[in-house]
Structures are given as C-alpha cells and as structure tokens.
Amino acid sequence: MEQETPGSADTAKQGRDATVGKSRELWWTEASIWTDRMVSALGNGVKGGKWFSLIDKVVRPATLETAWQRVARNKGAAGVDGQSVERFARQADRYLLELHTELKAGTYRPNPVKRVEIPKADGKTRPLGIPTVKDRIVQAALKMVVEPIFEVQFRNGSYGFRPGRGCKDALREVDRLLKEGYTHVVDADLKGYFDSIPHDRLMALVAGSISDGRVLSLIESFLHQDIMSETARWQPEAGTPQGAVLSPLLANLYLHPLDLLMEQSGYRMVRYADDFVILCGSEAEAAAALRQVTAWVSANGLTLHPDKTKISDSRQPGRGFDFLGYRFEAGQRFVRAKSLKAFKDKLRARTIRSRGDSLERIIADINPMLRGWFGYFKHARPRLFRRLDGLIRRRLRAILRKQEKRPSMGRSEADHRRWTNAFFADMGLFTLQTAHAEARHSR
C-alpha cells in the first residue's frame, strides 16, 4: 500500500473531505485495521492501483483475536482435526499465539477441508467444505483486510454476501424493474459455479488490486487446500469450497467483470452470488443479453446449465421465473414450489403426531420458524397464507387427537368445533394470515 509513505499519506488526508460519503458506506470495516487514512485512500485510489504491505495487518495479534471472535460467533462444525469451536475456546490464547508465530514466520500451512454433502429440496446434495477452526480464523483475518479493497469496486447490481445488502434488497430491485416494464427476463443458472472457478484467472483478479506477495500466496494456499471426504482425499484443480470464509468474497470477485460487462452494455442485471437475472424491455434485448452472457461464461471457464437457463416473458401465465425463493409470474409474486415444499417438510418434522410435548411447547417451537418464514415471504399471494394456516392447525389437531388416543378422523368437523381457530390463537400460535393483514395495515 504505497500511501504509507509520507507524501502519499498527505494526499490521502487532503481527500478525506471528498470521501465522507464513502466512509459512511464502509461502516462495517474493522476500525483497528482500516484507519481513516486507509479508508480515504480507498476513495482516492492508491498509486499504481494496487495495495502493498498488507500481511502485517493480517498477522497482527489484534486482527487474529477479532477474527477468532467472529468465528466463535458463527460456531460451525469441527474440521478434519476434530477441534470444535468450544475446544479451541478453552486455550484460545495459546492457539492464537501459535497462529501469529506461524503466519509471521511464513510457516503456516492450511489443513485439508472436510467435505460433507448437504441434502437439497430436489433430493440431490450440495457439497459443503468445512475448514478447521484455525483455518477459518486465518481466512476471517484475511477477509477483514482485503474485503474493502474489492468491495468499493463491486457494482450496485450485486447483492449476495455483501455488507449491508441481502436477498430482500435484490428482490426489491427485481420488483421495481418489473414494474418499470423490464418484463423479459434472462433467467441464468451457472452449473457447479463454486466448484468450477478457474484458480489462475481468479488469482489474476486478486493480483489486479493487491501486490503483497505473502497475502497472495496465503489466498492461493486456501484455493489449493486438499479436500477430504469419508473415502477420498484430493487436491482441487478449480473452485473455492462453499463453507469457507473467503469463498463468498472470491466468488463475487470472479463474477465482477460480468457485472461490469452487463452494466456497460446497458443491461439491468440483479445478481445474488451465482444466481442472477437480467431484466430487459423486449425479447430481442433479452436474447442479445443471453448471447453476451453465454460468450463471457464460456470464455471464463464456466458453464451455463442448459436446462435451467432460459428467457421468460414474466407477464404471461406459466412463463415466469424463479429468484431467491420467489416465483415472479403474471405480475404477481408466488412462493417458489421448492421453497414451499421445504417449508412444509420442516413443519411436518416438528408436528409429527407422535410428538409427546405439550401443545404450548410445540407452538413455542414452531412460532419462530413461522415468523421467520413470513418475514421473508410476506410479499407472496395472500391466499397462500390462509391455506398454510389451515395446514398448521390440522396438524396440531392431529397431535391433540393422538394424545387423547382417539383414532384419526381426517378433517373432522367435531375436532374443528372443539379446537377452534380462536383456541389456537389464544394459545399464542403465530397466524400467517393475521400477520399479513397487520403488515398491510401498517404500510
């Protein structure tokens, strides 16, 4: 970072007033690392466009301590060494000193990543990489140091895994563009994105902004970590494992040139990590955008899923598109079929008839899930909430019948009269339809 020299530091200080707004945008940076002078330099730019002398900030004991606190808050499973967050915490001071010593001496080497398969709603699985606690701490320290350098470059159309941004922001932008008439949509799906990012091209993008050789080597060492499953061990030739602390940032960085290309070409792309849609004013414009995306993806070592990438006229029934759990179709928002199935599966798992808990305890267990689900899907069609409320109450009635050792009677009118909707409301059950009515009233 060349602004460490006296002359360039003065330049950075002179530009502070001009970057007050930018400083507000960077409220999330770690103050012990990103001083006012460094934040100012983010806005003004650094000499040569690259940052030097960053490794000392990564290995600093205070940085490692902050990184450890973040890893501890996130909890997570143990890696290949079997060391849990709780076990690390018992001797955190000693382990952090060891990490500092190894990093400072340049002898630190990452452990293999433990791979597990996470079930998906469609019956398939998604690979998840679990680094060791020590490796998560080092990655968190690296992320705190380098993320602001890339974050100030990222475009407004990128929403995934970025400070102060999230799914709801991306959905609001999609909704706004649809209402403005951008109803022809390129719905693109990158096949196995996190496992297929070319390492050499990704590191070239990292090196475009960072010239600290030790930081670059450290990042590259995480890309080349061995992966261990129950039956095999291998070194990946591409990709960055989902579950690693650095992965979301690196994944965003690799798609940043695509964001730029779409923006410079006049297209309106909304992207959340590897999930993106391009909203256009006509079918011809959408077709041109898809050709451009296809060419970029092919040239950069990635693949579009042939069955999941399409152009939709979202105004037409049956021709909508799915994005971040919602389905946009014919001017309305629906809950995506897979998202709805996942919700029902989770509800059924918590309301099995043989569950021996009291009704009060069961309601206390499912209410947070219902509130969280509604908080995300409250913009779906209201009719769905009434149907789901009915499903929830039927399952609770079935539990009550079972507890009284009465045979199942389906949707019994007698049960409905005995355990009315008002009965469950008095028991404190969160009601989706009521929550929707209150949300509309408060607007």
Side-chain angles (χ1 to χ4, degrees):
M1 174 183 160
E2 293 199 6
Q3 70 272 23
E4 292 295 337
T5 61
S8 54
D10 291 341
T11 303
K13 289 177 182 177
Q14 291 169 6
R16 180 176 296 177
D17 292 340
T19 59
V20 170
K22 179 67 70 177
S23 297
R24 289 197 196 102
E25 292 175 14
L26 293 166
W27 55 268
W28 50 271
T29 57
E30 177 56 41
S32 64
I33 300 170
W34 285 91
T35 62
D36 288 346
R37 184 160 61 93
M38 290 178 66
V39 169
S40 180
L42 282 172
N44 294 332
V46 292
K47 186 176 180 181
K50 294 188 179 185
W51 290 72
F52 296 81
S53 303
L54 296 174
I55 191 63
D56 62 306
K57 297 167 181 60
V58 175
V59 307
R60 192 183 294 162
T63 303
L64 295 175
E65 172 64 31
T66 303
W68 154 237
Q69 295 300 330
R70 295 188 179 191
V71 170
R73 283 198 300 269
N74 290 333
K75 299 182 180 179
V80 295
D81 61 355
Q83 186 178 56
S84 64
V85 169
E86 293 77 16
R87 184 175 151 198
F88 187 97
R90 296 190 195 109
Q91 300 187 63
D93 290 343
R94 178 169 74 85
Y95 291 136
L96 290 175
L97 179 59
E98 289 175 1
L99 273 179
H100 167 70
T101 303
E102 291 176 8
L103 288 165
K104 190 173 182 180
T107 59
Y108 169 82
R109 298 293 181 271
N111 290 286
V113 173
K114 179 181 178 181
R115 171 164 285 198
V116 296
E117 299 292 332
I118 305 299
K120 294 169 61 176
D122 58 5
K124 299 179 181 178
T125 60
R126 182 190 305 278
L128 179 69
I130 305 176
T132 63
V133 174
K134 287 185 177 181
D135 289 345
R136 297 206 292 269
I137 292 169
V138 177
Q139 288 195 36
L142 266 172
K143 187 170 182 280
M144 286 191 294
V145 172
V146 305
E147 184 175 26
I149 296 170
F150 300 114
E151 179 61 31
V152 295
Q153 303 174 36
F154 290 161
R155 314 314 297 165
N156 287 333
S158 170
Y159 292 89
F161 306 109
R162 295 184 59 191
R165 290 174 160 237
C167 292
K168 292 181 180 179
D169 302 303
L171 289 166
R172 275 192 287 268
E173 179 64 5
V174 167
D175 193 58
R176 182 186 72 82
L177 289 168
L178 288 171
K179 289 175 179 176
E180 289 186 4
Y182 299 97
T183 54
H184 291 80
V185 180
V186 178
D187 183 7
D189 186 277
L190 290 169
K191 190 174 182 180
Y193 173 62
F194 281 86
D195 286 333
S196 59
I197 302 173
H199 288 166
D200 55 345
R201 292 174 179 171
L202 174 58
M203 286 307 303
L205 288 171
V206 176
S209 297
I210 294 174
S211 282
D212 187 314
R214 289 185 62 189
V215 167
L216 294 175
S217 295
L218 200 52
I219 293 174
E220 191 165 19
S221 71
F222 285 115
L223 294 178
H224 294 154
Q225 279 176 284
D226 282 3
I227 296 175
M228 289 183 64
S229 67
E230 291 183 355
T231 58
R233 174 172 177 163
W234 70 97
Q235 186 176 86
E237 296 180 359
T240 176
Q242 295 187 69
V245 177
L246 274 175
S247 287
L249 175 62
L250 296 177
N252 269 334
L253 177 61
Y254 197 72
L255 290 179
H256 173 60
L258 177 61
D259 295 339
L260 279 174
L261 176 64
M262 293 294 100
E263 184 179 292
Q264 292 165 358
S265 300
Y267 298 120
R268 293 152 186 84
M269 184 168 81
V270 180
R271 181 173 67 80
Y272 191 93
D274 61 329
D275 193 1
F276 63 90
V277 289
I278 305 168
L279 296 98
C280 304
S282 68
E283 187 171 357
E285 183 184 354
L290 179 54
R291 287 194 297 271
Q292 202 163 357
V293 168
T294 302
W296 186 91
V297 165
S298 177
N300 285 274
L302 304 175
T303 305
L304 285 174
H305 199 297
D307 300 325
K308 297 181 180 180
T309 300
K310 60 184 184 300
I311 294 174
S312 303
D313 181 353
S314 63
R315 299 169 299 180
Q316 304 302 319
R319 292 196 61 196
F321 64 97
D322 297 334
F323 188 59
L324 299 181
Y326 275 94
R327 181 165 184 81
F328 293 84
E329 185 174 310
Q332 299 186 74
R333 276 206 221 181
F334 303 85
V335 178
R336 182 187 180 195
K338 288 182 179 179
S339 301
L340 187 58
K341 181 182 182 301
F343 170 77
K344 290 180 178 179
D345 288 346
K346 188 179 293 186
L347 174 68
R348 291 188 181 102
R350 297 191 184 195
T351 56
I352 54 175
R353 283 189 299 166
S354 59
R355 182 167 178 174
D357 294 325
S358 67
L359 183 64
E360 291 90 343
R361 180 169 292 184
I362 294 171
I363 288 175
D365 179 38
I366 66 174
N367 269 350
M369 179 190 76
L370 299 177
R371 289 193 182 95
W373 189 88
F374 176 77
Y376 188 80
F377 287 107
K378 61 185 176 184
H379 297 291
R381 291 185 70 191
R383 187 184 306 171
L384 172 66
F385 304 134
R386 183 172 67 253
R387 294 204 309 269
L388 290 177
D389 282 336
L391 170 65
I392 295 163
R393 287 189 289 259
R394 285 197 302 276
R395 295 196 63 81
L396 294 178
R397 290 186 183 108
I399 292 173
L400 293 172
R401 274 200 311 270
K402 179 76 172 179
Q403 290 176 351
E404 291 188 355
K405 299 182 180 179
R406 292 170 52 205
S408 175
M409 300 175 64
R411 303 188 186 188
S412 168
E413 289 299 323
D415 287 343
H416 195 282
R417 287 192 298 270
R418 183 176 182 185
W419 298 302
T420 63
N421 295 354
F423 166 80
F424 291 110
D426 290 341
M427 295 294 290
L429 178 65
F430 182 82
T431 308
L432 300 172
Q433 192 173 11
T434 301
H436 180 261
E438 291 174 351
R440 289 190 63 183
H441 181 71
S442 64
R443 289 174 191 169

